[in-house]
Amino acid sequence: MSRPNLLQRGETRAAWMFLAPALVALTLVAFWPLARTLFFSFTDATLDDPSVYDFVGLRNFIDIATDEQWWRAVANTLVFSVVSVTLETLLGLGIALLLNQALPGRGVLRAAILIPWSIPVVVSAKIWEWMLHDQFGILNNLLIGLGFIDHGVAWTATPSLVMGVVIFVDVWITTPFMVLLILAGLQVIPEEVREAVLVDGVPWWKRFWSITLPLLKPAIGVAVLFRALDAMRMFDLAYILAGNGERTQTISIYARNQLISFQETGLGSAASTWVFFVIALVAILIIGALRLDRAAGR
């Protein structure tokens, strides 16, 4: 056997040795719980004693697929994801373009913009819950002082306002994430490209639309993919701000209710499996629509 082949086989063995701990950890924390959830989704197990169960086939999946509350949760999740990710992408792009300029104190601004994203979601949600309180919240006091309203508004208890509030808080929290990824994409645009269009006297709007935006497409696509998947499985923000309200119940909250509130391990596992399939479908659609696989290949 030739020396290059021996060297290649040795490198392959070394690579698998380094990967083995990560694969074992991934199996324990991801694949095993997923397999266990999929197993229980075909049973009628309950939370008080999961060891006692009978196999019921696809009954749990059918029950969920015919549940009106499930489809309401799907609609809520899609509305939240589309609106929040769209706003975060537009704001993130605008802020990233601004921070990419030679501004005084640009480093401080870049660090400051990450503060909302660095705060845990639970903490941010509780902060906004108090700020939006109808009696003690600073937002109501400010609006009353400015004369816009004459009494406190129950922002998270008003059905017509609660989804907008959840979206607003999510945009405040996660826009810095979009800024970070898009700004990284701006940083890798070759400097000679920018210099060439400046020499040619191309207007700024044409430079942005014909050069900057196409070159940013992979970075924006990855940012949208990550944020969309995160938004589709959103649980903590809506649950803290609005509880089990029908207007903000997401598919993750629905699955939690089946498992914890109703003590139905089988139904809860089936709902969680549905959540997995829905998120996987959304990921496939986004990758196909934005052609991220081809962008990565280039």
Side-chain angles (χ1 to χ4, degrees), residues 53 143 188 218 220 250 253 270:
Y53 56 82
L143 294 176
V188 299
I220 294 176
T250 62
I253 296 177

Side-chain angles (χ1 to χ4, degrees), residues 4-5 31 138 174-175 191 195 213 217 224 234 238 280:
N5 289 336
F31 293 128
I138 188 174
T174 54
T175 294
E191 189 64 31
E195 294 175 354
L213 197 57
K217 184 179 177 180
V224 169
M234 191 270 293

Side-chain angles (χ1 to χ4, degrees), residues 110-140:
R110 288 180 178 180
I113 199 69
L114 294 176
I115 292 177
W117 185 53
S118 64
I119 301 175
V121 175
V122 174
V123 177
S124 295
K126 295 302 292 185
I127 291 173
W128 278 101
E129 184 182 26
W130 275 103
M131 291 175 63
L132 296 170
H133 196 278
D134 57 337
Q135 297 181 14
F136 313 112
I138 188 174
L139 180 61
N140 279 316

Side-chain angles (χ1 to χ4, degrees), residues 41-101:
S41 65
F42 296 103
T43 70
D44 61 355
T46 57
L47 194 61
D48 57 348
D49 191 1
S51 61
V52 178
Y53 56 82
D54 291 320
F55 286 98
V56 295
L58 297 175
R59 190 182 71 188
N60 291 329
F61 293 96
I62 297 173
D63 289 344
I64 293 173
T66 56
D67 186 1
E68 181 181 351
Q69 194 172 9
W70 161 256
W71 291 110
R72 189 181 298 113
V74 171
N76 291 339
T77 304
L78 290 176
V79 169
F80 169 81
S81 300
V82 171
V83 176
S84 63
V85 172
T86 300
L87 292 176
E88 290 157 10
T89 303
L90 295 176
L91 289 173
L93 178 60
I95 297 173
L97 289 171
L98 180 63
L99 293 180
N100 195 49
Q101 303 300 317

Side-chain angles (χ1 to χ4, degrees), residues 82-232:
V82 171
V83 176
S84 63
V85 172
T86 300
L87 292 176
E88 290 157 10
T89 303
L90 295 176
L91 289 173
L93 178 60
I95 297 173
L97 289 171
L98 180 63
L99 293 180
N100 195 49
Q101 303 300 317
L103 299 174
R106 183 174 57 175
V108 177
L109 290 174
R110 288 180 178 180
I113 199 69
L114 294 176
I115 292 177
W117 185 53
S118 64
I119 301 175
V121 175
V122 174
V123 177
S124 295
K126 295 302 292 185
I127 291 173
W128 278 101
E129 184 182 26
W130 275 103
M131 291 175 63
L132 296 170
H133 196 278
D134 57 337
Q135 297 181 14
F136 313 112
I138 188 174
L139 180 61
N140 279 316
N141 290 334
L142 180 62
L143 294 176
I144 292 174
L146 294 174
F148 290 109
I149 57 177
D150 56 3
H151 64 279
V153 177
W155 298 96
T156 58
T158 304
S160 60
L161 298 176
V162 62
M163 177 59 81
V165 169
V166 174
I167 291 174
F168 170 80
V169 176
D170 184 75
V171 169
W172 180 83
I173 292 173
T174 54
T175 294
F177 174 78
M178 303 295 283
V179 174
L180 187 65
L181 292 185
I182 297 174
L183 185 59
L186 285 170
Q187 295 293 310
V188 299
I189 295 179
E191 189 64 31
E192 54 268 21
V193 174
R194 302 178 187 175
E195 294 175 354
V197 295
L198 288 175
V199 171
D200 293 339
V202 179
W204 70 267
W205 60 268
K206 195 170 184 179
R207 294 199 307 266
F208 171 76
W209 188 259
S210 301
I211 298 174
T212 304
L213 197 57
L215 291 175
L216 274 179
K217 184 179 177 180
I220 294 176
V222 171
V224 169
L225 176 63
F226 285 172
R227 271 302 304 138
L229 298 185
D230 193 39
M232 287 295 297

